[in-house]
Amino acid sequence: MSYLTRIIADTRSRPVRRDLGDCHALHRTLLGGFPQAPEGAQAREHFGLLYRAEPLAGAPSLVRVLLQSKITPSWEHLPAGYLGPDLDGRGNPATRQLDGEYDQLAAGVRLFFRLRANPTKKLSDRTPGRENTLLGKRVALLREEEQLAWLARKGERHGFRMLETAAAPELPDARAAVQEGVRGRRSGRGDVEAMPLRFGAVLFEGRLEVTDRELFLTAL
């Protein structure tokens, strides 16, 4: 089973502002909607948890959080004032099962997509003028053509390809826009030291075609 939950959060709430300013805090709040994971299991992987927070057009005080999971979450733990209004009568939070939509996916199906990701590359060569301390580390891809090439390589591995534009068939019908970076701080626990968290963010939008159903479903 797969489920998609939409939360409309009110940024006038202090807990909401805290979560939006600290990716670890937001992750902890969303995990609170799920039961305890089995011992030794990573909760995010066990519950298939993926999420994205994005502004809500025309409502500057509201943020939409989209969350994908393997079970239906519960949100009784959210503090008063965390949730914004129910704008479309579907409820807030609103959850629906995705299996019906997934059943329709097959090779050749074309889709519009939006993906927020952190495209990087690993530095493994010695380039003159670059500090050797960067060798073996991952760095962000900064140019749009590099970012789109990164997504195209992911598609080869995960059962999809980006479609081309009609006017210029050599160009993908997709865009990559750099977003504000994600920051937070993971608190220490046991043998794990406290550490700052910082991730790049790029919003990809465009059209794709499924080339391998099973690979695509696994990635999705």
Side-chain angles (χ1 to χ4, degrees):
M1 295 288 185
S2 296
Y3 297 87
L4 180 67
T5 297
R6 184 206 60 193
I7 299 172
I8 299 174
D10 192 333
T11 61
R12 292 171 293 185
S13 162
R14 181 177 296 178
V16 170
R17 294 196 300 272
R18 174 207 63 204
D19 285 355
L20 294 177
D22 184 338
C23 60
H24 186 63
L26 178 58
H27 181 71
R28 186 170 57 240
T29 295
L30 295 177
L31 272 181
F34 298 86
Q36 186 72 29
E39 185 176 354
Q42 293 289 333
R44 187 176 71 173
E45 181 178 355
H46 180 74
F47 295 117
L49 178 60
L50 291 172
Y51 63 88
R52 179 176 76 238
E54 57 191 14
L56 199 59
S61 66
L62 301 177
V63 168
R64 175 172 51 212
V65 179
L66 297 174
L67 182 145
Q68 180 177 285
S69 60
K70 294 179 181 178
I71 67 171
T72 305
S74 176
W75 303 109
E76 287 81 1
H77 70 289
L78 295 179
Y82 197 97
L83 297 174
D86 175 8
L87 299 177
D88 55 12
R90 298 181 182 180
N92 185 31
T95 298
R96 65 184 178 90
Q97 191 173 327
L98 295 176
D99 293 46
E101 283 87 346
Y102 283 9
D103 288 344
Q104 299 178 47
L105 295 177
V109 168
R110 296 186 170 189
L111 303 167
F112 290 100
F113 71 87
R114 177 182 292 172
L115 170 70
R116 194 166 189 243
N118 180 23
T120 63
K121 66 178 179 181
K122 187 175 182 179
L123 298 179
S124 57
D125 63 327
R126 295 182 179 273
T127 300
R130 187 174 66 205
E131 296 182 24
N132 290 335
T133 54
L134 294 177
L135 290 176
K137 295 185 178 180
R138 291 200 167 274
V139 297
L141 297 176
L142 302 179
R143 295 185 299 161
E144 185 178 29
E145 57 265 33
E146 291 181 317
Q147 296 161 350
L148 291 173
W150 174 90
L151 185 59
R153 291 193 298 272
K154 294 295 182 183
E156 293 174 359
R157 292 173 50 196
H158 297 298
F160 68 90
R161 71 176 185 92
M162 288 183 289
L163 296 173
E164 304 82 11
T165 58
E170 72 277 7
L171 297 177
D173 189 3
R175 295 153 300 285
V178 175
Q179 306 284 291
E180 182 178 353
V182 178
R183 298 172 181 265
R185 184 170 182 82
R186 187 180 69 187
S187 56
R189 180 181 302 175
D191 296 333
V192 179
E193 295 183 1
M195 62 178 293
L197 302 171
R198 182 176 181 177
F199 305 98
V202 173
L203 186 67
F204 294 97
E205 294 184 282
R207 297 189 307 137
L208 62 78
E209 179 179 274
V210 178
T211 57
D212 186 302
R213 181 179 188 275
E214 295 306 318
L215 288 177
F216 185 71
L217 281 174
T218 299
L220 187 60

